[in-house]
Each structure stands twice: as structure tokens, then as C-alpha cells.
Amino acid sequence: DSGVTQTPKHLITATGQRVTLRCSPRSGDLSVYWYQQSLDQGLQFLIQYYNGEERAKGNILERFSAQQFPDLHSELNLSSLELGDSALYFCASSVDHGQGVRNTIYFGEGSWLTVV
Amino acid sequence: EDKVVQSPLSLVVHEGDTVTLNCSYEVTNFRSLLWYKQEKKAPTFLFMLTSSGIEKKSGRLSSILDKKELSSILNITATQTGDSAIYLCAGTYSGGGADGLTFGKGTHLIIQP
């Protein structure tokens, strides 16, 4: 158990719909990362938040958005869903955003999203 | 564009064999290289490598970074069926005050009894 909690574990929804994935980082971790994992693309970095602020953006679509709340939990919002958005979405956390400090990140169990 | 390439993409060996997994990276403002093991769901952390030439070891697993060659290897000796997993490597970078990880696509390792 990494200490990173994600909900829901599984989600099935229709194309065009909107879903929200939730993540609680490990206690004390200020950075939250979101990743998308599909069979053909591997693990793709989407976005990172540090202490409530967006710090880095990866391959995140405009239909997707995220935020980190004052209690440090984070949500990833996926809208206008398409079949190709079906994937495993991971949240990960680390204690800092890495300036001058070693940065190991720990992953949650993931949220399986199936778009039908 | 940052890139991490792992090889082989898949590997099938027999229990007791020794395997070497490869990872090469092109990461701007490279900071460290991480190895993860992914079995059913969440990747679990194995090693973080920041210094070239210093081997990190954990039981039957060991890893080393070569900054000159921009690569790393993960060795597993006396493999067991429980070592079957996808092994991911990731390069971390720093820039603008933010760190991120660029993952390779992984090596799918299958250990046959």
C-alpha cells in the first residue's frame, strides 16, 4: 500500500459524458501527478500540482482538467469522453516538487475508465 | 522532446535465469532515473539512480546508471515466477521549479517455471 488513494477503482461511462477521478496523496506529500496508461501509449504524464498550484503539464488534452484543493487532494476531470480515453488513470504523489531534493513518487492503484 | 526507450519490450525466460533490462534516455535537465515494477496495478518503486557508476542493490535486483551513455540497466538474478511483471524506467527532470517523469513503455518480463 503506497498510501495514495484513488477513487473510483472502476468506472464505465458512455461517450460524450464527463467523469471526475479523485486522488488523496500520501500524508505529507505536497505534489500530485496524474498519469494515463493505455496499452499502446504506456504511461503518459498528464499534469502535476504542487501545494495547490499547477507546476507542469504533459500530454493533457483540453477536454481534461485537474485541480488540487487546500487539503491537497486532487481531482482529474475528463469531459466529452471518447472511446480512446479508455485507460488506467494513475495518481501519484511525492513529498516535494524536487528542487534540489531527490524526488521519488508513489503511485495509487489507479482508476480504470472504460468509455463505451 | 524528452524520450525514454526500454528494451527489450518483452522477454520470456525460465526460472533461475539472469535477465538484464535496458533503459536509454534523452531528458532535458536530467535529474535522476527511476525503476518501477508494475504487476497488476500500481507501479511500485524499485530504485532511484542519480550518480553514474554506483550500483544500487536490493536482494536479487540491482541497477546502475551510465550518464555518459545516457542509459541504465536493471539486473535480476536467479529469477522467480514472482518477478513476472512490467518493469518501467522513468527519467526525471527539473525545470521551472517543477519535476516530472518521462516513462518508457516498459519491458514485459515473463518468468516460466
Side-chain angles (χ1 to χ4, degrees), chain B residues 10-14 83-85 108-112:
Chain B
S10 63
L11 185 59
V12 182
V13 300
H14 287 102
D83 295 327
S84 296
H108 190 187
L109 177 63
I110 297 172
I111 311 297
Q112 292 183 334

Side-chain angles (χ1 to χ4, degrees), chain A residues 55-56, chain B residues 29 31 93-100:
Chain A
R55 298 300 287 187
Chain B
N29 297 323
R31 177 183 292 277
Y93 59 88
S94 61
D99 267 17

Side-chain angles (χ1 to χ4, degrees), chain A residues 26-110:
Chain A
R26 295 187 319 157
S27 177
D29 284 1
L30 300 177
S31 266
V32 169
Y33 306 76
W34 285 99
Y35 285 86
Q36 179 193 56
Q37 187 176 38
S38 57
L39 281 174
D40 56 342
Q41 293 292 321
L43 259 174
Q44 297 285 314
F45 169 61
L46 296 178
I47 197 164
Q48 177 201 1
Y49 281 83
Y50 173 73
N51 204 20
E53 291 187 4
E54 182 184 304
R55 298 300 287 187
K57 254 186 177 177
N59 300 317
I60 188 166
L61 299 172
E62 285 191 11
R63 301 183 285 108
F64 297 178
S65 64
Q67 54 184 332
Q68 186 180 29
F69 294 88
D71 67 352
L72 301 178
H73 91 270
S74 178
E75 291 181 355
L76 178 68
N77 300 297
L78 315 173
S79 61
S80 302
L81 285 167
E82 302 174 0
L83 295 177
D85 297 326
S86 296
L88 186 55
Y89 290 85
F90 283 109
C91 169
S93 73
S94 68
V95 67
D96 58 33
H97 67 295
Q99 281 186 333
V101 179
R102 293 188 175 190
N103 185 28
T104 300
I105 73 169
Y106 296 90
F107 284 82
E109 293 286 302

Side-chain angles (χ1 to χ4, degrees), chain B residues 34-86:
Chain B
L34 279 65
W35 283 96
Y36 286 84
K37 178 183 182 183
Q38 185 176 24
E39 293 177 89
K40 292 180 182 175
K41 279 198 176 176
T44 53
F45 172 73
L46 293 175
F47 297 111
M48 170 182 277
L49 306 163
T50 54
S51 300
S52 199
I54 298 176
E55 185 183 56
K56 291 219 171 174
K57 203 167 166 63
S58 175
R60 295 176 294 102
L61 276 67
S62 63
S63 185
I64 196 163
L65 177 67
D66 186 338
K67 283 188 176 180
K68 188 176 175 187
E69 296 295 327
L70 305 183
S71 66
S72 174
I73 59 170
L74 175 69
N75 282 319
I76 308 175
T77 60
T79 52
Q80 302 170 358
T81 53
D83 295 327
S84 296
I86 296 173

